[in-house]
Amino acid sequence: MTHTLPSEMHPQRWGDPARAAALPDAARGLVELAFGPLTERPAVADVALPASGLDDVLLDALRHALGAEHVRTDDDSRRLRTRGKSTPDLLRARAGDLGEAPDAVVRPGTHDEVAAVLAWAAEHHVAVVPFGGGTSVTGGLAARRDGYAGLVSLDLVRMKRLVAVDHVSMTATLEPGLRGPEAEALLAAEGLTLGHFPQSFEYATIGGFAATRSSGQSSAGYGRFDALVVGLRVATPRGEWVLGSSPANAAGPDLRQLVLGSEGAFGVITEVTVRVRRVPAVKVYEGWRWPSFDAGADAMRTLAQAGLLPTVIRLSDDNETAINLAKPDAIGADSAPGCLMITGYEGDAAAVEAKRVAVTAALEGLGGRCLGTEPGEAWAHGRFDAPYLRDSMLDVGVLVETMETATWWSNRARLYADVKAALAASLGDGAMVLCHVSHVYETGCSLYFTVAAKAAPDTLEQWLAAKAAASDAITAAGATITHHHAVGTDHKPWLSREIGELGASVLRAVKADLDPTGVLNPGVLIP
Amino acid sequence: MTHTLPSEMHPQRWGDPARAAALPDAARGLVELAFGPLTERPAVADVALPASGLDDVLLDALRHALGAEHVRTDDDSRRLRTRGKSTPDLLRARAGDLGEAPDAVVRPGTHDEVAAVLAWAAEHHVAVVPFGGGTSVTGGLAARRDGYAGLVSLDLVRMKRLVAVDHVSMTATLEPGLRGPEAEALLAAEGLTLGHFPQSFEYATIGGFAATRSSGQSSAGYGRFDALVVGLRVATPRGEWVLGSSPANAAGPDLRQLVLGSEGAFGVITEVTVRVRRVPAVKVYEGWRWPSFDAGADAMRTLAQAGLLPTVIRLSDDNETAINLAKPDAIGADSAPGCLMITGYEGDAAAVEAKRVAVTAALEGLGGRCLGTEPGEAWAHGRFDAPYLRDSMLDVGVLVETMETATWWSNRARLYADVKAALAASLGDGAMVLCHVSHVYETGCSLYFTVAAKAAPDTLEQWLAAKAAASDAITAAGATITHHHAVGTDHKPWLSREIGELGASVLRAVKADLDPTGVLNPGVLIP
């Protein structure tokens, strides 16, 4: 099992400190061309935390149930379980604000121990925040603590088993604390893969993928995470809940879909049974050039509606293409780079080649120009690195953040224009807005925006205003407030516009039924 | 628009009286070989109904809202909206029991009129049974009336519009009262198809497909109905609920999946937006022979896990194959017929041929023998006719009924054996049990059983005992109580074993939230 990544992330930064780097000089030059002279914005040193608000009498019962070493109240444990990894989360941490630190970090090792924590929390009215990889970018770890006796982070780090593999049905049962690479390593030993590779892959966990309805970069070939899940085991304050009798059925509403996306508000997912595939023998990634974003998106639509999708298909707009391809000596070149599409094929050699031939013929017929494998391999090589670059940019006073949505194909162009206009109006014309399509369906697609702007003195307020403007534009266009980042606390103000007041009411009713004392992730998801 | 089928079905029989027929002599000979001498079991003549329990003062408010002609209390209207089309439903009707007839049949023409009916029902505590095609085979139309002021059938027969078509996104918005052929005709005029062809296709409606999570005979190519739905409009006692911002998203749980399968217990579906495809230019159906049910099922699994499914794929077991292929002069032939598989390909000519070539190579490699198109065309020709044969068999004292389930591939053989054993133990060795696989997934498949037995004097009790034994076997094997027939009232006693007491509790909580006075389909679905 390859597992070389650090087990915890510092609240001020993403990922592995060994991979953090100052902005390279060449890139710094480009950024200064765009935004003017840069100013270092060092984060404050680690601050002391407020004392744990939970007293030892309360915690002793937990220590008895889990073992004392799995109930932690030291500053380091609590600091490293504070919030997630949105730019607002990082900005708050960089400013020394760790006010949302949990009072304790508890680490159950089994379903029954999770249940014991929930029973304890319900008895003492302590808020519980399930914690997997800590990669939320929507405030999913920022539970409310007002009115509660305290707040604990329920860390699933000890629940990392591959519980069962069914090679006939091609399913595997995984514990929630497994990170992406850990799950893939366990499955690879069985010749299997999950095929779920979101940008957060290196840190995010199986439980988190399920709780947030994650979607990975290979979604065209392997499907969204919610499409991979066939069974769930959940610990709720009212007891164990096991779902998944069959691949599909008509036994009332599919309640698996009620747990998927529930963001820790209904229960703690303790096992996930997923559809798996054989490890692909061959992986080929290629680049394509399109004369415009519209032309590339129409080609994606054509493939999706023809049932001819590769494993990976992504399309950058003109701005994102220009930035990604930019080399210092290319600046000022007057030939527009067009729009870069990445196509990826995974499987056995014959299947890869057959699909590649068919997709290539289709894309050429639609006006695409194949750029060979170099751009594809470059994308695959750096696919998990963007969050490190964000840290480097924040270090020199450039605000960087992402946001995403999805809509029907017929609404794509309007949504794209409206969100860009909203961001530009809020951040000013100097801001860069990049976009790509990374998830496609027969009926529509996602739009993933990356924003960069010279940081204002109050960078947090600057971004929150822009995000609100973009979110209003998304909702006004009838699109979803989030395609794969989940609701958390950040998207909650827009959720009722999407699912209706009745949808919000239903979520509250389910919450009240499963978590009657309201201790699970209070304030997250449910309007 | 082709619409030549009768608008209503007699409660004692399926479908079009013009297509009803006595058992042909040759078939009768075969049946007597199996079950011994047959005895005609004529149904009773139509009986008078109990008087409507709703008085005119109550109904006048509805007449004012909908128009007097759309609030019907005559015997014919009420008789034709009594129960569904399970064999128990038919047996009760044949015995003259129409005790569950609604007090009135109301026919709203718009979403707002549906809402008006629900408001009226909530105000006066009248139970409301949404009625589409009347094809339920699980008691889905047999709502409880005890404790209510009365019971009305909310007939969606006037809501048959194609509301919108989006040729770019390949979606269409349909009203719930459209029957299968009516929806297909409206879509065909746009060059489109839904591709949803359950056996009930000729009578069942769009709203019913959604409310029961139906699955059609072309599910391998087009997907289950719940996979086709991208948007819903629902009238609930608490108001309008509109869902469907995008093909997929992470904006909390996918609440569309809570409406799908809700069987009229949460609200009345007034619009369904579905993914559509272009009308296929070519349809090819072929037959294949397999030496055993296991060999054929393993071949289906291989195709499903290779992503190489035709549009239609079905496999009959030895018994079903023998019955379907039987001719009078074939009886006694000593060569076993093996197991018949039907494969169907739909699309443009090139795509059909490419898929057919690939599937043919795979199936031949797995030990199948292609029988050409004749068996395939024969299946396609008679695909909606089985319910007529059931009526003919009931007429001569042979009990016929179907039931279905689904499970993981690794559990298929056990489930098959256990259900067969349970049915044989209950009905005696003289009973025939036929089975086919008609819906396949990467991780598992459905099993659809047809049972025939010499009718006992109390035929209803005879079947209910066998069905209970089979349902117990299904549940004990961990499979689903229904793959595509829904829960209704008949499967309700087994539902909690499948979704857990917490699942049942969640359904009750959602019901209480959306339908606080409990007027919608009381007694159906919710344990």
Side-chain angles (χ1 to χ4, degrees), chain A residues 449-524:
Chain A
F449 295 90
T450 302
V451 179
K454 178 112 179 163
D458 190 339
T459 317
L460 182 57
E461 281 308 308
Q462 176 190 19
W463 172 247
L464 294 180
K467 169 86 176 183
S471 298
D472 286 343
I474 285 170
T475 305
T480 181
I481 194 66
T482 173
H483 172 264
H484 59 270
H485 281 170
V487 175
T489 49
D490 296 356
H491 289 145
K492 203 170 63 161
W494 288 270
L495 184 61
S496 293
R497 295 192 218 168
E498 180 167 344
I499 64 171
E501 292 300 331
L502 282 183
S505 178
V506 163
L507 292 180
R508 284 191 295 267
V510 173
K511 167 89 170 167
D513 190 62
L514 293 172
D515 177 23
T517 64
V519 294
L520 275 164
N521 240 358
V524 170

Side-chain angles (χ1 to χ4, degrees), chain A residues 290 293-306 308-309 312-316 341-342 363 366 409 412 436-442 445-446:
Chain A
W290 293 89
F293 196 46
D294 284 345
D298 279 347
M300 293 175 118
R301 176 171 70 85
T302 301
L303 291 184
Q305 293 177 349
L308 192 62
L309 286 173
V312 173
I313 188 161
R314 312 166 57 83
L315 174 74
S316 294
M341 175 187 284
I342 303 296
L363 293 183
L366 292 163
W409 288 115
R412 176 193 56 77
H436 65 253
V437 176
S438 49
H439 306 271
V440 300
Y441 306 89
E442 286 185 58
C445 66
S446 68

